[in-house]
Amino acid sequence: MLAAHLVSFFFTKLQEDPTKKVDRFLYAMRLHDDQLEDISARFQAEMKKGLSAESNAAAAVKMLPTHVRSTPDGSERGQFLALDLGGSKFKVLQVKVREGMGIRKGGVEMEEKIYPIPKELLIGRGTELFDHVSESLKDFLQEKNINLEKTHPLAFTFSFPCEQPTLNQGLLLSWSKNFRLRGLQGKDVVQSLKGAIERTGGMNVDVLSMVNDTVATMMTCGFDDQRCEVGLIIGTGTNACYMEALRHVDLVEGDEGQMCVNTEWGGFGDDGALNEYITEFDRDVDAASNNPGKQIFEKMVSGMYLGELVRLVVLKMAKVGLLFDGFVSDALRTKGKITTANVAAMEEYKTGLKNTRDILTGLGLTPSQDDCIAVQHVSTIVSFRSSNLVAACLSAILTRIKKNRSLRTLTITVGVDGTVYKTHPQYPKRLHKVVRRLLPESHVRFVLSDSGSSKGAALVAAVAQRLASRRKQVDETLFPFQMSQEQLHLVKSRMRADLEAGLKNKNPSTIKMLPSFVYHTPDGTERGKYLALDLGGTNFRALLVNFKKGLHQNTRLYHKIYTVPMEIMQGTGEELFDHLAQCVSDFLDYMGMKNAHLPAGFTFSFPCEQTAIDTGTLLTWTKGFKATDCEGHDVVNMLREAIKRRNEFDLDIAAVVNDTVGTMMSCAYEDPECEVGLIAGTGTNVCYMEDVRNIEKAGRKEERGEGTAKGEHYQDDLTESEKKQRDADAQRMCINTEWGGLGDDGSLNDIITPYDAEVDQNSLHPGKQRFEKLTSGMYLGEIVRQVLLDLTRGGLLFRGHVTEALKTPGIFETKYLSQIESDRLALLQVRSILQQLGLDSNCDDSIIVKEVCGAVSRRAAQLVGAGIAAVVDKIRENRGLEHLNITVGVDGALYKLHPHFSRVLHDTAKVLAPLCNVSFLPSEEGSGKGAALITAVAKQKQQM
Ligand code: ADP
Ligand code: MG
C-alpha cells in the first residue's frame, strides 16, 4: 500500500500532471479575480452607456426598458394562457395564479405542452413561425378543453432582444441563438402574434404582456421571494435583467420608482470591449456562427457554444500533438460534435472521467488516461470561464443596484433559469462562490426559478392586472381630496358669508371675528426693548426684541423655545400658567435680565374676546389644549397671577395679541401694504384690517347705550392723536377672524371625507374647528394616517398588514409629509422614513404613500388659498376698489417648511381672487415679534 503510494508519487513527479499542459495551453481562459474585477468595471460602464439617451443607440449592451415596474407581492391572482418562445423549447401553457384546485406551494399551478418547431421554420419566414405558434395554441386549448368562446388573457415570453414602447408591444431588434427568420426585424412581434391568431381563427385571446425570459424568471422567483430583483438566464443563450431606478432609465419618462431593465448582456463585447479576453477559439466559434461579430459575450458563456469551444480547443491540442499522440478524427473536425451536455457529463463528480473516455471514443478517438484527464480539464476551464464571466457581470449589476440605493450592504435574491445552470454539476456552486468573493459586503441568494421563463410571463400579466386594479382603487380613494374649481369657489363664498355673519354677531357664528383693539399697522417709530411671550399650538417661545431707531433699522431679537408637554396642555389652568411663568423665569436668567421689569406682550394663539388691548377672555381652547378653569377667564390675569405666585420677577404685560395679529404687525413693520396676517402651523387662522363701520356688534352697542356711528364704542378709549390717526386710517381695526371654525355648522360637509370625520371624532374638540382640521399641521398627518389605514385594510398597501405603528394616533406627524413630498427625495428615502415609523414598505407602497400625502397637503393649501381669496376680496370691496394690492404676512411651520404648500396656496388665491394682487411675506418670529411691536405702541401711548 505504502509502496504503491510512493510509486505514484514519483510517477507524478517525473511524468507531468496532464492538467498542467492544459493550464498552460489555455492560460488566456483562466481569469483571475483582478481580471474579473476589470471585466465587471467594463460591464458597469457598458450599462451606463446603454441607459443613457445619448449613447444608447451605439451601445453594445442595449439595456432595454421592459415596462415591468413591480415584482410580485404574492397577492396576485388569475388564470392566464402563456406562450414561451425562444428558449430551448417552445411551450404553450395554462397558468393559474392562486386559482383553481390543488395549488402547490407558491400558489402557481400550470399545465404545459411542448410543441416542437420544425427546423426549417427557424430559418424561414416570420409569419410561418407565428402561424405555427398560434396553431399550437389552438391545439392546446382544444386538448385541455379550454372554452374557445371566452376571452383569455395571454402572456407571451419572447426571448429575443426587443424594444418595448409598452408592456404589450415589442419591436424585434435582432434574432439570436439558432433563430434567423425573415420579415420580422423592426416589427412588433405582438402584432405578428395577434395577426397569426386571427388567421388561425376560432380563439379569443387578449395579449396582455410580452416579456423576455429573464424578466419572467425574475418574476417567478419574485412571487415567493420579495427580494428577488434580478433575473438570470444561462441556457442556450445568456442574459440578465434587474430592477433599475427609473430615474436612470433615460428612454422612459418619469423618475419615480423602478423598472426592470433587460440588459441583453449577450452583446457585451460586440464593440470590442472584451477584445483583451477573447481567444482564438472564441474567434473561430464566432466566425462559424449564424451572427458573426454579434453576441460576443454570449458566445463565451452560453450553452449553445460551450461544447463547440471545448471541441475547438481539443482539436487544436491534438493538431499540435498535445493530445491523442497527434491523431485527429473526422468527427473531432466536425462542428457540433461536442455538445454542452457532453461538457456537463465530462465534469460529473464520479463518472466524469469515464464519461470523457466514452465521449472521446464516440468521436473515433483512442484516448489514453492522460488524454481523458486533459480533455476533462479543458471542459473545466471552458465552463469555469463561463461561470466566471457571468459572475463578473452579475456583480456589476449588483454593485449598480447597491449604489442606486446607497446601501452599505445589499441583500438580494437572483432568480436563475437555463439548462447550463440547471444541468451542469459544478456550475451553480462555482458561480455563487465567485460572486460572493467579488462582493464580500453583500448577501446574495440564488434561487433556481424552475420553469421560470414560462410561468413568469403569466405573473407579469397578473402583476399588471393587480396594479391596474390597485391604481383604480387608490384613485377612487383619493378622488374626494381633489378640489374642483367649483368647490373652491364655494368654499370661498362660504368663507365670505361667515366672515360677514361673524361681524354682525346677531347670533353666535362659526367664525367669531374678534376685535383686536389694534387700529393701525406700525409706522416705524417704535423703539425700545420688549419681551414677547408666544404661546402657539405646540411651543411656547420667549423673545427679547429691541427696536432700534428708524424704520427698517435692524431689530435685535433673542429667543428661546420651550415645548409644552401634553400633560400640561391638558392639565389644570394653574399648572399651565405656572409652567409659562417658569419658562419666562428661565429666559430672563438666560438673558441676565431678571430685574429689568420689562414691558411685555403676550401672543396667545387661541380665540379671546378682548375689551381692551391688555385683556383677553379665553372663549374656547382649540388644537391640542384643554387645560381646566381657563375658558371664560382673562388670560393676562392668569399669567400675572402665575408670575405673582412665583414671586421672583416682575413683568408689565401691556398687550395680549393673537398670533395672526402679531404676524401681520411684524410684517407690516417691513411692508406697509401688509394688512392681513395668516397662520399655517399647528392650527390655522387669519386676521385683517376691517373697516370699523362694518363691525356691527349691535347687541352690545345697545346694551351700552352709547355711540351713534356703527362700532363707535370700540373707539372711545382713543386719545385725540389716535383719533386723528384713526381718521387717517379710514377707521380700521384688525379683526382676528378665527376662521378655523368655518364648517362647524355643517357648511363644509360636502367636502369632508370619512377620513376627516374620523380625525375629527378622535380629536380633543370633536365637531369644532372643522376648517382647521382640514388644513393645519396638527391634523394633516392624522388624515394621511387614516387614509393609509383604509388602503392597508383594503389590501392596497403594506401587503395588507395593519401594524401597531399604523394604528398609533399621531405617529404620522405633519413634518413627515414635508419630508416625503420633497422633490429632492428619492423613493428609497421615502421608504427609509416609513421604515423609521415602523412601516415596512416596498417601492410601490412608497409611491402611494407619497400620493396620499400630496393629495392631503394639496387640498389643505387650496382651502387656505380659497379662504385668503375671500378675505382679500372683502377688503377690496370694503374700499370700493377695482383692484387691490395687498400683502399677507405669514407665520407657521406648515407654510414655511412644507415643500409645496405655499406655492399651491399662492396659486389658488391668485385664481380665486383675480382682482387682487396678493403678495405673501413670511415673517421671522412674526407672531412673537408683533406682540412686542404692539406693546411698544401701547407703551408709547401711555407715555404721551
Ligand atoms: P405653533 O403653531 O405652535 O405656533 P409652528 O408654527 O412652529 O408653531 O407650527 C408647528 C406645527 O407645524 C407642528 O405642530 C406641526 O404640525 C407642523 N410642522 C412642524 N414641522 C413641520 C414641517 N417640517 N412641515 C410641515 N409642518 C410642520
Ligand atoms: Mg405660532
Side-chain angles (χ1 to χ4, degrees):
M1 197 57 195
L2 181 69
H5 259 112
L6 277 176
V7 167
S8 83
F9 175 77
F10 279 114
F11 185 76
T12 45
K13 268 275 161 187
L14 299 172
Q15 272 250 304
E16 196 196 30
D17 175 352
T19 61
K20 290 271 155 50
K21 67 179 174 200
V22 177
D23 282 346
R24 267 198 308 278
F25 192 74
L26 291 182
Y27 179 77
M29 280 197 180
R30 295 166 56 221
L31 301 171
H32 307 293
D33 279 6
D34 47 350
Q35 290 173 302
L36 294 180
E37 267 156 23
D38 174 51
I39 291 169
S40 183
R42 286 175 196 223
F43 188 66
Q44 279 191 58
E46 292 294 316
M47 285 198 283
K48 255 200 188 143
K49 225 185 200 177
L51 286 169
S52 135
E54 286 137 49
S55 45
N56 170 271
V61 178
K62 294 187 196 74
M63 304 298 281
L64 302 167
T66 63
H67 298 272
V68 170
R69 291 167 193 260
S70 308
T71 50
D73 72 355
S75 71
E76 293 72 14
R77 52 183 65 247
Q79 264 189 51
F80 305 89
L81 293 173
L83 297 173
D84 184 355
L85 180 66
S88 53
K89 305 215 164 71
F90 166 54
K91 295 178 198 166
V92 183
L93 308 96
Q94 184 180 38
V95 186
K96 294 178 181 172
V97 184
R98 286 195 199 286
E99 289 212 343
M101 308 289 285
I103 293 293
R104 288 175 294 134
K105 180 179 168 286
V108 183
E109 197 177 40
M110 57 182 204
E111 283 191 87
E112 63 173 45
K113 189 171 173 191
I114 294 171
Y115 289 86
I117 300 178
K119 263 222 164 74
E120 63 277 13
L121 278 187
L122 293 177
I123 51 168
R125 294 187 57 80
T127 47
E128 285 163 11
L129 176 69
F130 275 103
D131 282 338
H132 176 70
V133 166
S134 85
E135 274 150 26
S136 308
L137 174 64
K138 187 163 184 188
D139 175 79
F140 182 82
L141 292 176
Q142 285 166 338
E143 188 183 311
K144 304 285 177 195
N145 278 324
I146 297 171
N147 188 342
L148 293 174
E149 304 297 308
K150 258 178 72 182
T151 303
H152 300 280
L154 182 135
F156 185 26
T157 305
F158 185 70
S159 314
F160 300 95
C162 284
E163 193 182 302
Q164 291 198 257
T166 66
L167 190 56
N168 58 1
Q169 279 178 291
L171 312 177
L172 178 68
L173 292 174
S174 61
W175 292 107
S176 59
K177 297 168 281 197
N178 51 344
F179 284 66
R180 199 178 47 177
L181 290 111
R182 280 170 285 132
L184 276 188
Q185 205 142 322
K187 300 249 171 72
D188 178 3
V189 290
V190 175
Q191 272 309 325
S192 308
L193 174 64
K194 284 180 181 165
I197 289 171
E198 217 146 88
R199 281 196 295 279
T200 304
M203 293 178 276
N204 290 309
V205 286
D206 179 14
V207 186
L208 282 187
S209 59
M210 190 194 94
V211 294
N212 186 272
D213 51 350
T214 53
V215 181
T217 298
M218 178 186 78
M219 295 297 270
T220 301
C221 170
F223 192 71
D224 297 321
D225 181 341
Q226 297 282 303
R227 293 191 191 275
C228 181
E229 296 185 274
V230 180
L232 172 62
I233 299 284
I234 316 161
T236 312
T238 184
N239 192 9
C241 71
Y242 70 102
M243 295 305 286
E244 173 62 86
L246 194 53
R247 65 179 187 280
H248 295 312
V249 186
D250 280 6
L251 302 176
V252 178
E253 289 263 325
D255 43 27
E256 293 286 9
Q258 309 199 86
M259 182 174 284
C260 180
V261 167
N262 165 18
T263 62
E264 286 296 337
W265 76 10
F268 182 28
D270 291 6
D271 57 357
L274 284 173
N275 283 0
E276 283 164 54
Y277 299 98
I278 284 171
T279 64
E280 55 179 298
F281 310 107
D282 298 309
R283 272 189 283 274
D284 290 348
V285 165
D286 179 48
S289 71
N290 261 346
N291 48 355
K294 295 269 153 57
Q295 300 290 100
I296 297 300
F297 180 72
E298 181 164 84
K299 287 169 186 167
M300 297 164 88
V301 165
S302 80
M304 183 149 166
Y305 310 97
L306 290 184
E308 194 54 12
L309 279 169
V310 170
R311 186 186 67 85
L312 290 172
V313 173
V314 172
L315 177 64
K316 179 75 184 283
M317 285 183 81
K319 278 184 179 166
V320 299
L322 286 170
L323 285 173
F324 319 125
D325 293 326
F327 175 76
V328 177
S329 69
D330 281 347
L332 188 58
R333 284 187 213 275
T334 312
K335 186 181 165 189
K337 282 290 174 186
I338 296 182
T339 63
T340 300
N342 293 151
V343 175
M346 289 193 263
E347 290 181 68
E348 276 304 337
Y349 277 117
K350 289 196 175 125
T351 53
L353 217 50
K354 180 182 173 298
N355 293 344
T356 307
R357 179 177 297 279
D358 294 347
I359 290 161
L360 293 176
T361 312
L363 292 175
L365 298 162
T366 330
S368 67
Q369 179 72 0
D370 275 7
D371 286 338
C372 291
I373 293 172
V375 171
Q376 184 185 43
H377 198 56
V378 170
S379 283
T380 302
I381 288 177
V382 168
S383 67
F384 216 130
R385 183 182 67 154
S386 162
S387 61
N388 274 341
L389 288 171
V390 169
C393 292
L394 184 60
S395 76
I397 289 178
L398 298 177
T399 304
R400 192 172 161 87
I401 295 176
K402 192 170 142 198
K403 274 190 198 151
N404 279 346
R405 302 180 186 179
S406 331
L407 294 173
R408 219 165 45 81
T409 55
L410 174 71
T411 306
I412 199 162
T413 301
V414 179
V416 200
D417 199 5
T419 24
V420 173
Y421 185 84
K422 277 197 287 202
T423 58
H424 189 288
Q426 334 261 7
Y427 203 99
K429 232 187 306 157
R430 290 178 190 154
L431 172 68
H432 305 171
K433 204 166 152 189
V434 180
V435 169
R436 286 173 188 143
R437 202 165 67 227
L438 294 176
L439 296 174
E441 298 269 278
S442 300
H443 305 288
V444 190
R445 182 174 176 240
F446 290 85
V447 172
L448 175 64
S449 178
D450 212 1
S451 314
S453 66
S454 316
K455 230 189 265 181
L459 285 169
V460 170
V463 170
Q465 277 194 340
R466 169 175 63 78
L467 291 179
S469 94
R470 166 154 117 165
R471 180 74 265 154
K472 203 169 137 241
Q473 291 179 67
V474 171
D475 286 347
E476 278 166 10
T477 304
L478 294 183
F479 180 74
F481 289 94
Q482 275 179 30
M483 296 284 104
S484 65
Q485 283 306 311
E486 195 189 340
Q487 282 173 309
L488 291 172
H489 274 289
L490 275 173
V491 171
K492 178 191 170 191
S493 56
R494 286 170 194 160
M495 179 67 84
R496 175 67 184 265
D498 284 15
L499 291 171
E500 306 283 1
L503 284 173
K504 297 205 170 71
N505 197 35
K506 292 220 172 68
N507 306 306
S509 56
T510 58
I511 301 187
K512 297 192 179 72
M513 303 299 276
L514 303 167
S516 69
F517 292 84
V518 169
Y519 295 95
H520 45 82
T521 50
D523 61 9
T525 62
E526 300 77 8
R527 59 210 46 165
K529 274 186 194 163
Y530 303 91
L531 192 63
L533 308 172
D534 178 0
L535 182 65
T538 306
N539 301 310
F540 178 63
R541 294 177 172 84
L543 308 85
L544 182 72
V545 188
N546 190 358
F547 299 105
K548 297 260 179 81
K549 275 181 285 232
L551 194 63
H552 306 311
Q553 293 263 320
N554 51 343
T555 307
R556 298 291 298 272
L557 194 146
Y558 304 89
H559 74 145
K560 217 171 159 185
I561 300 176
Y562 302 88
T563 53
V564 183
M566 181 144 81
E567 60 275 16
I568 295 219
M569 289 182 185
Q570 298 174 22
T572 68
E574 210 170 279
E575 282 167 342
L576 170 64
F577 282 89
D578 281 345
H579 176 77
L580 303 187
Q582 189 202 323
C583 297
V584 177
S585 161
D586 173 86
F587 182 69
L588 292 174
D589 280 336
Y590 168 74
M591 298 300 304
M593 301 186 83
K594 238 336 168 358
N595 302 314
H597 190 78
L598 287 169
F602 184 20
T603 303
F604 187 73
S605 314
F606 301 90
C608 281
E609 175 92 56
Q610 287 192 254
T611 49
I613 191 70
D614 63 349
T615 63
T617 304
L618 175 62
L619 292 174
T620 159
W621 283 118
T622 57
K623 299 178 275 196
F625 278 73
K626 206 180 184 171
T628 55
D629 300 322
C630 294
E631 292 177 349
H633 296 271
D634 179 4
V635 295
V636 177
N637 253 338
M638 285 190 281
L639 184 58
R640 283 188 187 129
E641 292 293 317
I643 293 171
K644 217 179 278 170
R645 274 196 296 280
R646 218 180 154 80
N647 196 19
E648 191 195 356
F649 61 91
D650 243 335
L651 276 191
D652 171 13
I653 305 170
V656 59
V657 181
N658 186 265
D659 53 349
T660 52
V661 181
T663 299
M664 178 190 78
M665 292 298 275
S666 84
C667 289
Y669 194 66
E670 284 161 43
D671 177 351
E673 282 188 347
C674 179
E675 295 187 84
V676 181
L678 168 66
I679 298 290
T682 311
T684 181
N685 194 12
V686 145
C687 73
Y688 70 102
M689 295 305 287
E690 177 58 276
D691 291 6
V692 169
R693 64 187 155 85
N694 291 337
I695 310 172
E696 308 170 27
K697 306 275 179 172
R700 228 172 310 151
K701 199 165 47 176
E702 279 153 21
E703 192 181 296
R704 292 175 62 162
E706 50 189 321
T708 43
K710 284 174 177 176
E712 188 157 284
H713 72 283
Y714 281 120
Q715 303 161 51
D716 46 35
D717 60 343
L718 302 190
T719 62
E720 276 312 306
S721 79
E722 268 193 327
K723 278 187 178 146
K724 269 191 210 138
Q725 176 76 50
R726 175 203 70 195
D727 293 339
D729 283 353
Q731 309 188 12
R732 286 176 198 144
M733 191 206 280
C734 179
I735 294 285
N736 162 22
T737 64
E738 291 295 336
W739 77 0
L742 179 71
D744 290 4
D745 59 354
S747 73
L748 293 177
N749 285 0
D750 54 345
I751 62 168
I752 282 173
T753 68
Y755 311 108
D756 300 308
E758 190 70 28
V759 169
D760 177 50
Q761 280 308 308
N762 298 338
S763 72
L764 213 48
H765 310 283
K768 298 271 157 53
Q769 299 290 96
R770 301 309 298 268
F771 184 70
E772 180 163 81
K773 283 172 186 162
L774 302 176
T775 53
S776 76
M778 182 153 172
Y779 308 99
L780 297 190
E782 270 301 281
I783 302 172
V784 167
R785 189 181 67 87
Q786 290 297 340
V787 178
L788 299 185
L789 259 176
D790 188 44
L791 290 173
T792 309
R793 290 192 178 120
L796 301 168
L797 259 185
F798 307 133
R799 306 183 71 208
H801 293 317
V802 178
T803 52
E804 280 309 310
L806 198 54
K807 282 193 277 185
T808 313
I811 61 139
F812 212 99
E813 289 173 45
T814 299
K815 68 176 182 201
Y816 296 120
L817 267 73
S818 292
Q819 290 180 19
I820 288 170
E821 290 183 63
S822 159
D823 292 328
R824 277 167 299 162
L825 206 66
L827 273 185
L828 219 81
Q829 291 164 286
V830 174
R831 271 167 90 174
S832 86
I833 293 170
L834 294 175
Q835 198 80 48
Q836 283 167 32
L837 296 177
L839 304 174
D840 198 9
S841 67
N842 61 30
C843 185
D844 300 326
D845 290 336
S846 48
I847 292 178
I848 291 179
V849 171
K850 191 168 176 173
E851 281 177 15
V852 174
C853 291
V856 170
S857 67
R858 185 177 167 76
R859 182 187 64 163
Q862 288 177 320
L863 291 174
V864 173
I868 285 290
V871 171
V872 294
D873 250 357
K874 173 159 176 40
I875 297 174
R876 184 182 61 78
E877 286 171 29
N878 281 346
R879 300 178 190 180
L881 296 172
E882 283 282 308
H883 187 90
L884 175 74
N885 282 330
I886 194 159
T887 298
V888 177
V890 202
D891 201 359
L894 178 60
Y895 181 90
K896 288 182 182 168
L897 301 177
H898 189 280
H900 310 303
F901 186 90
S902 55
R903 183 181 39 79
V904 176
L905 159 55
H906 302 168
D907 292 351
T908 311
K910 192 168 179 176
V911 171
L912 295 184
L915 301 177
C916 299
N917 177 24
V918 191
S919 313
F920 291 83
L921 182 61
S923 73
E924 199 192 320
E925 287 292 343
S927 53
K929 204 163 90 183
L933 262 173
I934 291 165
T935 306
V937 175
K939 294 314 285 182
Q940 275 166 12
K941 190 176 84 183
Q942 279 176 11
Q943 283 153 16
M944 273 191 285

